[in-house]
Amino acid sequence: LNAIEKSASAVKRVAELTSQQSENANKIVEAQAELDNIKAKEKSIAREIESLVSEKFNSVQFQLFREQINGNIEDVCIPMIKGVPYADANNAGKINCGLRIIDALGRHPGKRFPVFVDNAEGIEFVFGVESQLILLVFVAGQELKIEGGKIHG
């Protein structure tokens, strides 16, 4: 009788655990769906933030977030010049990107400072800024000289 009672108790417990397992599986599915909705909202917010920040800069976009393999969002801050990451741009692209960022940041507080650009000898077009722009250009075989002029751009 004791064995039959234990067997009946075990069968009852298995049924309870099977029911709990089913309930837990449903909760997991619901939680995963909620997590997927949160990740989708997070991605949407990330794109909106990138758009709002990038519109403050002239011809420079910012990638502020990157989606990881697991679907999570990683914070980054990568200036992009015509879709090319700053680190991969050529020297002229990097200099002009920097000038655009400096110009945009100077507009916000309304303060302007002189901007020095070194290695300017390889740049055909220099982006104009509202600040004084000082270009440092190396010319082989020439003595140091200072020239004034107006940059258009």
Side-chain angles (χ1 to χ4, degrees), residues 98-107 112 127-131:
L99 289 172
R100 288 179 170 105
I101 292 169
I102 290 167
D103 195 52
L105 293 175
R107 265 186 262 127
R112 299 292 177 173
F127 178 76
V129 295
E130 293 182 26
S131 301

